[in-house]
Amino acid sequence: MAYVGRFAPSPTGPLHAGSLTTALASWLDARAHGGRWLVRLEDVDTPRTIAGAGELILAQLTAHGLEPDERVQWQSKRTASYEDALSRLSSANLVYGCACSRQVILQALAAQNTPPDRHTTARYPGTCRDRALNAARTGLAQRLNTKGAEAIEWQDRRAGSQTEDVHGTVGDFVLRRADGVWAYQLAVVVDDAEQGVTHVVRGADLSDNTARQIFLQRCLGLPTPVYLHTPLVMGADGQKLSKQNGAESLPTVDPIAGLRRAAASLGLPADVMPQVTTPYPLLARWIEAWKVRWIDP
Ligand code: GLU
């Protein structure tokens, strides 16, 4: 099987130490397998997308020596494929329209005595599942019916065996929001399949989406890639670094410092070759270190 990997940032801000680490990990894994590495800009969530952030991320990747092997894909141009997937699921009676606001969902859960934890996605209690709301009505979210689904079992290359009962944890999840925005779950599954992605390497904060994505792959008859969720990069405050808590954009003028820091968080020898001023010798050295640390320890 020819290896195809990808880095799939959302252009909601520039690349920062955390997202550079994911980019480096997926690039190294692709190179270590002699595979191809793709970049896909996940700009479906239009309200959160920041103008110019996608172009900036691409420039930052180039400055760090991480260049995609194929033309960059933008999810905002891929609506036809998402429509097609949604209509295939609808034809199989796996989708229904949902009129519930967040408030209504929380009230229903409270009434069932199962209010969500503060840090987890509220499980959808299935309120609209059997209501057969008119599909032509606008302003409905589209949800995937998970009732009766078996627990999903999958292997993470780092964390090992995982199992999740999607119906019990998140319930019928959204494929397209009421405002028409395509859900991350649907877009990522359709795109990974269309781009022939065989290996997903991404941050551990996305790990709990994997069972939903595998469930969706099965509903659509698509193959499941191999998954590796890399450890999260923590800020000085012990919190995960993210655009939300103000992780700083990486300067393109000093890519070496950023790369060394990313390599250190992946357990690679960050301080080798102290004199180098361009990324390439370091990257070449780390491909070998990656094999030892993450492929054949
Ligand atoms: N676009 C997602 C993010 O930036 C990552 C998607 C993925 O790697 O599956 O959080």
Side-chain angles (χ1 to χ4, degrees):
M1 174 177 60
Y3 181 113
V4 181
R6 50 60 159 191
F7 173 54
S10 305
T12 53
L15 211 59
H16 55 76
S19 44
L20 177 66
T21 303
T22 306
L24 178 63
S26 61
W27 186 90
L28 287 171
D29 200 52
R31 290 291 170 264
H33 282 92
R36 282 181 296 139
W37 185 69
L38 314 181
V39 172
R40 180 172 73 229
L41 283 156
E42 303 211 318
D43 58 342
V44 270
D45 191 351
T46 30
R48 288 179 61 230
T49 297
I50 291 180
E55 290 77 4
L56 178 56
I57 290 173
L58 295 176
Q60 289 174 300
L61 287 172
T62 303
H64 289 82
L66 308 175
E67 299 209 52
D69 295 321
E70 284 175 21
R71 199 168 51 84
V72 171
Q73 285 265 20
W74 295 73
Q75 285 189 326
S76 52
K77 307 235 163 66
R78 304 215 357 95
T79 304
S81 293
Y82 309 147
E83 293 277 6
D84 180 60
L86 186 65
S87 72
R88 284 206 288 135
L89 295 166
S90 298
S91 313
N93 277 326
L94 289 170
V95 179
Y96 62 87
C98 167
C100 297
S101 64
R102 192 176 149 68
Q103 197 58 30
V104 166
I105 296 172
L106 293 177
Q107 278 163 3
L109 289 170
Q112 292 177 0
N113 241 337
T114 50
D117 296 344
R118 212 153 59 83
H119 296 293
T120 54
T121 319
R123 174 179 181 275
Y124 183 62
T127 319
C128 289
R129 189 186 304 124
D130 300 317
R131 285 175 73 196
L133 296 173
N134 182 353
R137 192 172 133 183
T138 53
L140 295 180
Q142 301 295 318
R143 289 185 183 271
L144 184 65
N145 189 348
T146 58
K147 197 169 172 201
E150 288 177 3
I152 301 290
E153 288 176 22
W154 59 281
Q155 290 290 328
D156 182 86
R157 284 165 55 192
R158 178 169 74 101
S161 243
Q162 310 289 315
T163 169
E164 184 182 333
D165 163 23
V166 172
H167 185 66
T169 51
V170 287
D172 301 345
F173 56 92
V174 171
L175 301 175
R176 198 177 65 203
R177 295 189 338 211
D179 60 4
V181 169
W182 293 100
Y184 158 62
Q185 311 295 353
L186 181 82
V188 83
V189 161
V190 169
D191 286 345
D192 280 342
E194 278 198 26
Q195 294 186 282
V197 170
T198 59
H199 289 68
V200 170
V201 177
R202 60 187 177 191
D205 55 330
L206 291 167
S207 184
D208 65 354
N209 293 282
T210 309
R212 264 172 283 176
Q213 292 170 13
I214 294 174
F215 179 67
L216 198 42
Q217 287 154 5
R218 292 182 186 170
C219 292
L220 286 163
L222 301 173
T224 292
V226 177
Y227 290 95
L228 168 61
H229 291 90
T230 54
L232 291 185
V233 179
M234 299 297 174
D237 56 359
Q239 298 290 315
K240 126 174 163 55
L241 270 191
S242 71
K243 294 159 203 164
Q244 282 71 29
N245 70 10
E248 281 169 49
S249 170
L250 291 164
T252 46
V253 285
D254 185 16
I256 303 300
L259 281 171
R260 288 193 190 282
R261 185 170 163 194
S265 33
L266 294 167
L268 304 175
D271 301 329
V272 289
M273 306 183 184
Q275 310 300 341
V276 295
T277 52
T278 61
Y280 305 102
L282 277 176
L283 292 172
R285 171 72 183 75
W286 290 335
I287 293 172
E288 297 314 310
W290 179 269
K291 290 180 188 163
V292 176
R293 174 70 182 78
W294 292 101
I295 299 180
D296 209 1

